[in-house]
Amino acid sequence: MTQIHELGALELGKKIADREISAPEAVRHALGRMDLLDSTVNALITISGRSAYQQAKAIQKRLDAGEKLPPLAGVPLAVQDNISTKDILTTCASRMLHNYVPPFSATVIDRLVAAGGIVIGKTNLGEFAMDGTNETSHFGPVLNPWSTDHLAGGSGGGCAAAVAAGEVWYALGSDTGGSLRHSCSHCGLTGLKPTYGSVSRYGLVANASSLDQIGPVAESAADCAAVMALIAGPDPKDSTTQPMEFKPEPVNLNGLVIGLPEECFLPDLQPEIGKAVQAAAHQLAVLGARIEPVALSLGEEAVAAYCLIAAAEASANLARFDGIQYGYRPADPKHDDLSDYYCHTRQQGFGAAARRWIMLGTLILSAGYYDRYYLQASKARRLVKENLQKALAQCDLLLTPVAPSTAPRPGAGPDDLYNTCLANIFTVSANLSGFPALVLPCGLDHCNLPIGFQLIGSAFSDSLLLSVGTAYQEATAFHQLRPPHVGEKT
Amino acid sequence: MNKPLPQPLIDPKQISRVAHLARLNPDEAERVLLRQELERILRSFDRLEWPDTRNTEPIYHPHPDTNRLRPDEVQSPFDPADLIHESIGQDGFLMAPKTME
Amino acid sequence: MTWDTIVGLEVHVELATTSKIFCGCPTLFGRPPNTQCCPVCSGFPGALPVLNQQVIEYALRVCLATDCTINSLIRFDRKNYFYPDLPKGYQISQQHQPIGRGGKLVITTDNGDKAIGIHEIHIEEDAGKLIHDPQGKHTLVDYNRCGIPLLEIISRPDLNSAEEALDYLDKLRRLLLFIGVSDCRMEEGSLRADVNVSVRPTGSKVLGTRTELKNMSSMKAMALAIAYESRRQIKILTEGGRIRQETRRWDENEKRSFALRIKENVEDYRYFPDPDLMAIRINDHWIKNTRELLPELPDAKYQRYLTTLDLTAYEASILTSHPALADLFEATVAICGRAKDVAGWIMGEWLQECNQRACRPQDLKVTPEKLARLVRLLAEGDITRGTARQVFIQMIDNQADPDDYVHRHNLRMIRDIKTIDAAIDQAMAAHPRSVADYRAGKNKVRTFLVGQAMRVLQGKADPALLNRRLLEKLNTPD
């Protein structure tokens, strides 16, 4: 018999609605899985078991009274720890916010909770979701449920690892340069980086405001679509949100043109990834899509522009962490000199990687550097977007790899910032242009580590992406593969 | 397209200046590392072959929308106790290190 | 050698919106610390700004009223610096694409009108308030003011004296009040002026090194500070010294300024477009609508009062010093005409009462309609000025109706000669000594006797008549 944690989010939601499984039972099961696995995987920073259990009881009461609730009501979820949750610690995996409890919830949380969602834990990530790895977390790295010798990817590895380990049925993460997509790809999950502005950022602790987007992580595109249906839509508290119609419908792939940028398949790409991605393209062709080669440069220019813009915005976004109102305070605060106090707090409160980003951003915004770097990067951003638009004028969707390699081992990644960014070569364009990108699992490498591929669409084609993803997953079973024996004593 | 690069791009004085602007106080070892790393990134950026962008308008947002405005209406403020937690001190003021003008 | 003083003003004015610029917190002044705040204005992680439409509306009015060129696309930039009054570590301001540039404001000088250039007008959020405790170990911080919308209006260095600077600030204050964008209270900090001062030998075209003056909390303080600074600089230069570029703080008690910090390195604020806010496009339609809503500006009003209402320059100037006065004046004149009489009453009794009660002109709860009737009673000789004052107090304190009150208390002016003569006789009989003194040549005593006779009639006698009859009687020996 299928265990509860092997169900998809929608499947569990249906069983809860049909009162085959109770919401408190789902919460208990999730807590049990966390107890069993999380000391190994380290996907979670905070477990909010008590409040989750109370919420579950309240929802169950309404269901027992015959009330009809939205499809994911009663299904526990995990939330990346840079998304504000009222009364639940929100640390951004940084010492700077190790004790910070927000006085308000992010709009996405309000919307999910209103629909019966139960926040059961806050997931681990790279500090402030800043690097392409989660090793910079103040709470230690997230290991990959498929192989604990490997990382879950980053920076948002915790939300993917929590879902892959069967601790929760879906999760919310953020994606600034590919974070959510990388960790989904490395953990064999489906994840969407929505169109910029389609999901409110209110309450997301900003890394790079013009690139950040919150998105769903789940077993399938259908589950992601169910989450999007709840969280997408304009928010009066976020001026950058856009009115968007989100209505995924079953789609016929006949006549759909999918562009395959040939430049993606460079020698740097792990050969197994190239093969699996080609196979996914072939599978979509079998389903009726037309695969066309397209000329699209996914060159280093985009990565460089991303790196500078992200650093510049982050340097200002992280200026509010000064030890005066909330968060970390040095043990021996020197109150006699203001500048010393700031420097102490920030030097000790931020990890080395965050300090490096802040230094880069501060430098390129300062006099003598702004025009040459920040302004040039903002011009490059226009070019990247126009290139992507041109490519998407010739086809409906683009298909690319997600990462040049499968999940890395701890300590194996590049130690300098620029090379860390280069690992995002397939993903940053979607952030710079604001276009949506969906990651779907498409195989395993020789170490049994998952491989994913990415579909990129035009702005506001989120529904189409998820419908195509669902069609693909109806014909394939990669998304149903489970990590073997994770954390279970053998 | 660009003027010749200054050599070096970032000198130790620049690192001190930027660290002060960012209110960080890296020790000597970190300063050396930071200087190397930032220099490497800027050089990588400069090395890339950019098209002529003199007439390219920069963009600061994915979407070109404008005029996101709200009406001038008051919403009830937060309970101060909810907002300022532990740092609230004397008579409802927040306590900051002594500042001198 | 003679010297010219060059002055430029950077005026910060708080806009009179009901909610803050980027959140729905109220903008009330004088509330307990940290009670008018929310996650947005106190810079909590994840909170986002949403622009208040009224701020743009008000800023447009100011740009139009000062003939600025309005940018069709404006953006907000982050100005990055650390200070405890700035919870986000940056201030949202405008650097690259401000709302207006290149305007002017006309001031009056001894040599006639002079146009002062306005370099730039931009929008920004206010910072919090710090209380520096000289003994304590801490600085106390209040975020209530964080996020109050501000306009910064930067003049060109076209002013040449403290008097000109004062007139510029006064003209600007009137303008802002009349277009309804600010209450302009210097004492509450809703209007603040920083002043740049330099001097140069008369005839020179080169600007001297300038200093920046801060902390003047009144017009008078500003004038004193400019005059002081100009003298200080001239003295240094005459003695062969050099001026340091610095910020100086005006000390109101000592009536002198002190150097704050020397601007060796210009601050590096690293302005860049705020990614949380979208650009604002201001099209011609919007500008046209705003222009149509602009009221008559104070300069135009002043001219109209002089030419069509025949007021003196002094009267016109006082009445256009605050929209509450101009509105009251115009509404009253619309009912009863008699512009001179209305102006006289407002500038006299009305302002005097406000002064005594320490309240604003608009705080006296007397309608133009009632005021018009009072002025008419007085002007038509139905009551004496003394009675009118008495009635006016009743109107303020007890919402009395002037005609009704005069009638019920029988306050109409007494013009009956017999009654008046009787009163005079009674006063003269009671004070034979004074009568004798007068007749011995002490003219001053007459005033006393007028008062005594008036008193007999409870102040209601026609003063001209009473005076005439008294004189006749005094000059006619018994």
Side-chain angles (χ1 to χ4, degrees):
Chain A
M1 194 195 125
T2 313
Q3 295 207 54
I4 297 183
H5 62 265
E6 289 171 343
L7 296 168
L10 277 172
E11 289 169 335
L12 176 62
K14 184 158 187 321
K15 285 191 189 295
I16 290 173
D18 293 345
R19 297 169 66 205
E20 287 175 37
I21 296 173
S22 76
E25 205 178 333
V27 167
R28 273 198 304 272
H29 190 86
L31 292 173
R33 294 287 295 175
M34 290 171 185
D35 205 31
L36 181 70
L37 303 172
D38 214 63
S39 55
T40 313
V41 176
N42 198 25
L44 294 156
I45 292 173
T46 302
I47 298 172
S48 49
R50 183 190 292 251
S51 67
Y53 196 68
Q54 274 164 358
Q55 264 176 284
K57 281 200 293 188
I59 285 163
Q60 193 57 42
K61 221 172 167 181
R62 291 165 65 188
L63 288 168
D64 290 345
E67 201 177 326
K68 192 137 174 47
L69 296 177
L72 294 176
V75 180
L77 72 136
V79 176
Q80 191 162 297
D81 211 21
N82 58 347
I83 299 175
S84 304
T85 41
K86 189 174 194 297
D87 302 331
I88 302 174
L89 214 55
T90 298
T91 68
C92 295
S94 176
R95 174 196 254 182
M96 189 57 99
L97 289 178
H98 71 104
N99 58 354
Y100 172 64
V101 179
F104 65 100
S105 278
T107 297
V108 288
I109 301 299
D110 283 342
R111 290 185 179 174
L112 282 180
V113 169
I118 297 171
V119 177
I120 194 169
K122 300 296 297 284
T123 66
N124 201 351
L125 65 156
E127 185 181 13
F128 285 105
M130 290 184 94
D131 263 329
T133 169
N134 58 55
E135 290 173 281
T136 58
S137 168
H138 179 59
F139 303 96
V142 186
L143 299 183
N144 197 314
W146 288 82
S147 153
T148 49
D149 293 336
H150 293 81
L151 295 167
S155 57
C159 56
V163 178
E167 297 177 338
V168 285
W169 289 266
Y170 71 100
L172 291 182
S174 70
D175 191 303
T176 305
S179 156
L180 177 147
R181 285 166 284 162
H182 279 261
S183 42
C184 283
S185 178
H186 291 338
C187 294
L189 293 171
T190 306
L192 177 72
K193 195 291 283 183
T195 301
Y196 184 86
S198 62
V199 176
S200 168
R201 291 182 298 116
Y202 190 82
L204 170 67
V205 182
N207 169 9
S209 314
S210 78
L211 303 162
D212 297 341
Q213 227 3 225
I214 294 174
V217 172
E219 179 194 281
S220 67
D223 285 353
C224 287
V227 179
M228 277 297 283
L230 297 175
I231 62 173
D235 176 8
K237 289 184 198 153
D238 177 357
S239 331
T240 62
T241 51
Q242 308 275 328
M244 175 183 78
E245 187 155 342
F246 183 77
K247 264 203 187 140
E249 284 160 351
V251 65
N252 186 342
L253 299 197
N254 279 322
L256 191 80
V257 182
I258 295 178
L260 204 57
E262 283 168 326
E263 249 194 64
C264 289
F265 301 92
L266 294 170
D268 288 358
L269 190 67
Q270 189 177 319
E272 292 163 298
I273 293 181
K275 260 194 231 158
V277 171
Q278 295 278 13
H282 181 71
Q283 179 62 51
L284 288 164
V286 168
L287 293 171
R290 207 168 81 227
I291 309 294
E292 297 268 348
V294 290
L296 172 64
S297 155
L298 289 170
E300 268 184 71
E301 282 80 2
V303 176
Y306 160 79
C307 186
L308 298 192
I309 291 168
E313 293 184 9
S315 73
N317 284 330
L318 270 55
R320 66 190 62 200
F321 304 114
D322 57 8
I324 288 184
Q325 204 181 176
Y326 44 71
Y328 177 78
R329 262 157 243 255
D332 52 339
K334 284 191 195 160
H335 279 286
D336 44 355
D337 185 276
L338 181 66
S339 182
D340 270 5
Y341 180 81
Y342 283 142
C343 290
H344 260 84
T345 307
R346 291 168 57 80
Q347 181 71 24
Q348 294 169 20
F350 291 125
R355 294 199 298 268
R356 185 167 68 174
W357 274 102
I358 293 171
M359 286 289 289
L360 175 61
T362 306
L363 174 71
I364 62 163
L365 288 175
S366 70
Y369 292 83
Y370 181 93
D371 284 355
R372 184 179 197 104
Y373 295 104
Y374 178 73
L375 190 63
Q376 180 65 19
S378 300
K379 289 177 169 189
R381 182 172 192 174
R382 176 180 289 278
L383 302 178
V384 169
K385 186 181 174 185
E386 286 173 356
N387 278 341
L388 211 52
Q389 271 171 324
K390 261 183 232 153
L392 281 163
Q394 302 159 41
C395 57
D396 297 304
L397 302 174
L398 292 163
L399 193 158
T400 76
V402 181
S405 59
T406 50
R409 287 173 185 274
D415 64 353
D416 75 290
L417 191 51
Y418 190 66
N419 283 311
T420 308
C421 286
L422 270 182
N424 291 330
I425 191 152
F426 300 121
T427 50
V428 293
S429 298
N431 300 89
L432 288 169
S433 63
F435 293 170
L438 177 70
V439 169
L440 300 159
C442 63
L444 298 173
D445 75 354
H446 66 282
C447 299
N448 237 10
L449 289 169
I451 298 170
F453 72 101
Q454 171 176 245
L455 291 172
I456 304 174
S458 303
F460 306 110
S461 67
D462 307 53
S463 308
L464 174 68
L465 279 179
L466 289 164
S467 299
V468 172
T470 300
Y472 173 79
Q473 290 181 335
E474 278 166 3
T476 57
F478 297 113
H479 64 293
Q480 286 166 342
L481 294 175
R482 304 275 162 216
H485 328 295
V486 49
E488 283 153 31
K489 303 203 167 59
T490 45
Chain B
M1 176 190 66
N2 284 328
K3 278 178 251 161
L5 301 179
Q7 295 290 340
L9 263 179
I10 308 167
D11 61 31
K13 252 167 119 184
Q14 288 285 24
I15 289 292
S16 296
R17 183 183 70 99
V18 173
H20 177 71
L21 285 174
R23 295 298 185 274
L24 294 169
N25 58 358
D27 59 20
E28 197 42 47
E30 189 178 353
R31 273 166 205 267
V32 170
L33 268 176
L34 280 168
R35 194 183 139 210
Q36 287 168 357
E37 179 135 6
L38 299 190
E39 176 107 18
R40 200 182 314 154
I41 291 168
L42 297 196
R43 292 217 179 273
S44 310
F45 187 85
D46 285 326
R47 231 186 11 248
L48 293 170
E49 288 184 11
W50 297 99
D52 185 349
T53 53
R54 270 170 302 184
N55 296 319
T56 306
E57 271 294 305
I59 56 172
Y60 303 108
H61 275 288
H63 308 304
D65 301 80
T66 53
N67 298 38
R68 292 310 171 84
L69 300 158
R70 65 177 179 84
D72 183 20
E73 285 164 6
V74 170
Q75 277 150 9
S76 51
F78 262 61
D79 182 343
D82 263 359
L83 276 184
I84 300 180
H85 314 301
E86 73 273 23
S87 357
I88 207 86
Q90 210 175 308
D91 305 326
F93 286 101
L94 198 68
M95 313 290 278
K98 194 168 161 129
T99 56
M100 287 189 293
E101 288 221 331
Chain C
M1 181 153 59
T2 60
W3 298 83
D4 286 345
T5 303
I6 313 290
V7 179
L9 257 59
E10 292 172 15
V11 174
H12 282 93
V13 58
E14 286 184 1
L15 297 177
T17 52
T18 55
S19 65
K20 291 185 178 179
I21 179 167
F22 297 120
C23 63
C25 287
T27 53
L28 304 170
F29 179 79
R31 295 295 156 127
N34 298 306
T35 57
Q36 314 289 297
C37 305
C38 75
V40 177
C41 56
S42 3
F44 269 64
L48 296 172
V50 183
L51 181 61
N52 183 341
Q53 162 144 23
Q54 193 69 47
V55 171
I56 303 291
E57 205 69 58
Y58 282 169
L60 277 180
R61 281 194 211 171
V62 179
C63 289
L64 289 171
T66 53
D67 290 329
C68 278
T69 306
I70 292 164
N71 256 323
S72 57
L73 188 74
I74 65 167
R75 268 183 226 286
F76 287 90
D77 298 295
R78 292 183 180 178
K79 178 182 184 180
N80 298 286
Y81 65 96
F82 288 89
Y83 210 59
D85 62 5
L86 198 64
K88 295 191 296 296
Y90 57 84
Q91 178 192 30
I92 304 178
S93 180
Q94 295 192 298
Q95 168 77 359
H96 299 296
Q97 285 157 278
I99 188 156
R101 278 202 173 123
K104 67 172 196 299
L105 191 70
V106 177
I107 65 166
T108 316
T109 71
D110 295 342
N111 305 322
D113 284 354
K114 177 175 171 185
I116 304 303
I118 289 182
H119 168 64
E120 178 181 307
I121 295 183
H122 67 248
I123 305 168
E124 60 190 27
E125 58 179 341
D126 209 346
K129 249 187 202 156
L130 300 183
I131 297 175
H132 303 280
D133 175 3
Q135 263 81 50
K137 276 181 73 183
H138 295 276
T139 292
L140 304 179
V141 189
D142 175 9
Y143 286 157
N144 283 351
R145 203 175 66 182
C146 287
I148 304 265
L150 287 181
L151 276 193
E152 181 166 353
I153 302 166
I154 304 167
S155 86
R156 295 200 159 280
D158 291 346
L159 299 158
N160 291 109
S161 65
E163 291 72 32
E164 288 189 13
L166 214 55
D167 195 48
Y168 170 86
L169 192 59
D170 183 55
K171 283 276 178 356
L172 185 59
R173 187 189 62 84
R174 286 177 193 226
L175 192 68
L176 297 169
L177 282 171
F178 272 86
I179 58 178
V181 302
S182 175
D183 61 12
C184 295
R185 294 198 202 172
M186 280 189 96
E187 70 286 1
E188 287 183 5
S190 68
L191 183 75
R192 315 196 278 271
D194 296 340
V195 184
N196 290 311
V197 180
S198 64
V199 297
R200 66 182 173 198
T202 301
S204 164
K205 293 278 172 247
V206 191
L207 284 174
T209 305
R210 61 168 197 211
T211 56
E212 191 182 355
L213 307 176
K214 284 182 182 294
N215 195 43
M216 291 82 72
S217 59
S218 68
M219 297 260 209
K220 213 175 117 199
M222 188 183 82
L224 286 176
I226 293 171
Y228 174 88
E229 181 58 17
S230 163
R231 279 197 310 276
R232 190 188 69 88
Q233 290 188 12
I234 291 169
K235 181 160 182 285
I236 291 174
L237 293 174
T238 314
E239 288 167 359
R242 285 181 58 187
I243 306 298
R244 284 190 306 193
Q245 186 167 343
E246 62 193 3
T247 302
R248 301 179 66 85
R249 187 173 199 278
W250 178 250
D251 187 314
E252 185 59 42
N253 296 324
E254 299 211 18
K255 303 277 182 271
R256 51 172 292 201
S257 61
F258 296 91
L260 277 182
R261 47 181 179 254
I262 300 164
K263 284 193 174 174
E264 282 163 353
N265 314 322
V266 178
E267 296 250 14
D268 190 343
Y269 290 121
R270 293 158 283 134
Y271 286 98
F272 76 104
D274 191 324
D276 288 329
L277 292 159
M278 307 304 277
I280 306 294
R281 197 168 284 289
I282 299 171
N283 58 24
D284 292 346
H285 180 70
W286 195 351
I287 294 175
K288 185 168 161 279
N289 277 351
T290 307
R291 197 188 292 279
E292 281 168 3
L293 289 173
L294 274 188
E296 185 183 25
L297 300 182
D299 273 352
K301 231 180 235 306
Y302 174 87
Q303 285 305 328
R304 185 164 61 83
Y305 288 1
L306 287 190
T307 51
T308 64
L309 296 178
D310 216 21
L311 299 191
T312 63
Y314 178 68
E315 289 167 333
S317 168
I318 296 285
L319 291 175
T320 56
S321 68
H322 196 287
L325 291 178
D327 290 351
L328 174 70
F329 169 69
E330 291 186 21
T332 310
V333 170
I335 297 166
C336 69
R338 301 186 189 277
K340 285 295 253 190
D341 296 326
V342 176
W345 190 269
I346 292 175
M347 294 174 58
E349 282 75 3
W350 189 289
L351 287 180
Q352 201 179 313
E353 276 309 310
C354 292
N355 228 342
Q356 285 196 355
R357 291 159 194 256
C359 72
R360 298 173 305 168
Q362 61 267 43
D363 293 336
L364 295 187
K365 295 290 169 236
V366 172
T367 61
E369 194 273 327
K370 282 184 184 170
L371 179 61
R373 282 196 282 131
L374 180 69
V375 169
R376 196 182 279 145
L377 284 172
L378 175 64
E380 291 180 356
D382 290 337
I383 53 175
T384 63
R385 199 161 190 100
T387 305
R389 278 198 201 104
Q390 183 190 339
V391 176
F392 186 51
I393 307 267
Q394 291 300 320
M395 289 162 67
I396 298 167
D397 291 337
N398 302 316
Q399 284 76 51
D401 179 282
D403 296 292
D404 181 55
Y405 190 85
V406 166
H407 177 72
R408 276 200 291 120
H409 294 83
N410 195 21
L411 296 178
R412 286 195 167 268
M413 198 186 299
I414 296 168
R415 290 216 188 79
D416 176 51
I417 289 194
K418 275 185 191 150
T419 316
I420 287 174
D421 280 353
I424 292 170
D425 291 344
Q426 195 183 327
M428 285 171 70
H431 301 283
R433 185 81 191 269
S434 300
V435 175
D437 281 352
Y438 177 85
R439 286 178 180 157
K442 282 194 179 173
N443 282 337
K444 274 191 199 161
V445 186
R446 183 168 63 102
T447 321
F448 170 75
L449 288 168
V450 169
Q452 290 305 312
M454 246 330 174
R455 216 165 123 184
V456 174
L457 295 173
Q458 290 108 39
K460 294 183 286 185
D462 179 338
L465 188 57
L466 186 138
N467 246 308
R468 184 161 57 79
R469 294 298 299 161
L470 178 67
L471 262 182
E472 285 170 12
K473 282 180 188 282
L474 284 173
N475 293 335
T476 315
D478 299 320

